[in-house]
Amino acid sequence: MGRQAWKKGAFLTVSLLSAAFFGRLERISRTVYLGETEEQELVRKTETEKEPPETAVETIIETETEETEKQTEVKKETGRIRVLIRSDDFAELSHEELRILCKEKGLLLEKGEEKPLEKEEELFFSAEASLKTGESVMLTGKDGEGCFSVLGLKRGYEDPVFEGSLTILRRKEGFLLINELPLESYIRKVIPSEMPSSYPLEALKAQAVCARTYAVKQMENHRMEEDIPADVDDSVSYQVYNSQPENDRSRQAAEETKGLVMAKDGELVDALYYSTSCGLRLDQDLSLEPVFAAFLSVKHEGDYEKDEPWYRWNVYFPVERLAELAAENGYGEIGTVTELIPEKRESSGCLSALTIRGSAGNAEVDGEYAIRKFLNPSGLQVNLKNGKAAPELGMLPSAFFYLVPSYEEEKLLGYELIGGGYGHGRGLSQNGARGMAEKGKTFLEILKYYYGEIELHDALDTGDQSFIKKDQ
């Protein structure tokens, strides 16, 4: 918990940026005499606190000018999330220019004034003719939530539509675009962007609970970069948002799990998820190399993903390519590769430490992600379980693999990687959830299979908990 009191006689400019990110504030911008006020409680929790958020929160928003930066605290209503909308194909945090179409009548808030926006009115923001560095404007609905299309933004569908409010903030590197909207509206657009809508409803409901739990935890911890006033961005760095339009099935999945988040021992679950597992066993220790290799060498009939293309894969790395990768990834000139040593596996079987021995030196690669980036199979053929070659990849499909060396007269030629799964391997397997749902499992059974004995809590206090049993 934290507290903050404004000093007696303080003056504060209530900036347009503050109003932009928090549509609950009055739509004004003026200098306000604050005087002496009561200290206001912050209820945005840290990771060590126990309960989900239940009341309004205060958070620090940083505004910029070319000369100075100011900080002010404003109250944030629970149940709303701020999403940084990245540039084309999620490449950059900022945009060089923006074209925004009003889908309904709305308002533009700028320098303390409200300007009405007509339906189908188009706005253009460019470096030459728009805001100065540090300035911002907000677009919002005339009678509530707004509806705007960002024209030309490259996503999974043309001219994606955003509900709520949009704030355009000028930075030196370009325009930041922040979409603030109700949490449940956000979830409806995450579901089809992260999981195909053709998947069974119970799988989509499990995805909804995972996405909501992840989002609420982000909102609690405010984990984006300090100078970016948003809870998440819309890319795979957090979870993909609005790359596909919401539909009847995503709306149904969100509605039937409205407000529900996962908790364990009084804390929100770290609700990670990924594409496909190689055969998850929460109760099995696969940290020993021979145990993991034996496990991955066979097809387990009980595995829900056993028929998925990514369930098993293999790729061959010549020693020359391994030496190139070591240099490209900053591990130095190690000479001719003489051995790869898997140093450490997690209990799940995921490789978390790898040693590269070379004729001119050794290198250590630590962490699942670093190992997958190092063993980039670009230009090599990754063979899938269905006999087809995988599309071009920027990193190894997963760190669930074991090594088979290839020799010619005792000279090491390379390594075949025998692997399985696609993704980091922590939390829910989306294709596993599909398989479970197809076999009649409920979303709660799916979640417990992947996260253990979790409990469901209503993060939004909707009051509708009739189907959540105490003996769950």
Side-chain angles (χ1 to χ4, degrees), residues 10-148:
F11 286 86
L12 170 70
T13 298
V14 181
S15 70
L16 181 60
L17 180 60
S18 299
F21 296 139
F22 304 102
R24 285 76 57 190
L25 301 179
E26 286 186 310
R27 294 197 290 262
I28 54 176
S29 178
R30 64 172 186 268
T31 301
V32 179
Y33 178 77
L34 296 173
E36 285 185 297
T37 64
E38 296 291 329
E39 292 186 340
Q40 296 178 313
E41 181 113 336
L42 293 175
V43 297
R44 181 181 292 277
K45 305 288 173 74
T46 65
E47 290 186 359
T48 59
E49 293 179 277
K50 301 289 184 180
E51 296 296 332
E54 296 182 347
T55 60
V57 300
E58 291 180 354
T59 186
I60 297 175
I61 298 300
E62 295 187 3
T63 63
E64 290 185 336
T65 64
E66 288 182 290
E67 296 79 24
T68 63
E69 291 187 357
K70 296 181 180 179
Q71 288 188 339
T72 181
E73 288 192 352
V74 294
K75 187 174 290 185
K76 184 180 180 185
E77 178 184 293
T78 191
R80 296 183 70 84
I81 187 168
R82 298 160 301 171
V83 188
L84 175 72
I85 309 303
R86 297 177 68 112
S87 66
D88 288 346
D89 299 320
F90 310 103
E92 303 292 341
L93 295 176
S94 60
H95 304 253
E96 293 183 3
E97 61 183 35
L98 288 165
R99 291 171 55 226
I100 299 175
L101 180 69
C102 302
K103 303 292 286 185
E104 303 291 345
K105 289 186 177 181
L107 294 171
L108 183 148
L109 309 178
E110 182 177 16
K111 298 178 180 178
E113 297 182 356
E114 294 183 356
K115 174 189 174 183
L117 298 172
E118 297 300 321
K119 184 177 180 179
E120 301 301 319
E121 184 172 349
E122 184 176 329
L123 303 171
F124 180 63
F125 298 87
S126 67
E128 294 78 17
S130 298
L131 305 169
K132 296 179 180 178
T133 301
E135 292 183 338
S136 64
V137 297
M138 181 178 74
L139 310 179
T140 187
K142 187 173 183 179
D143 300 310
E145 300 294 343
C147 187
F148 306 93

Side-chain angles (χ1 to χ4, degrees), residues 324-342:
E324 291 172 359
L325 289 169
E328 290 171 6
N329 285 274
Y331 295 104
E333 298 292 338
I334 62 173
T336 302
V337 173
T338 58
E339 190 177 13
L340 295 182
I341 304 173

Side-chain angles (χ1 to χ4, degrees), residues 163-178:
E163 301 175 33
S165 66
L166 292 178
T167 291
I168 299 93
L169 169 62
R170 178 70 186 276
R171 293 282 177 90
K172 291 179 180 179
E173 61 273 18
F175 295 97
L176 293 186
L177 179 63
I178 311 287

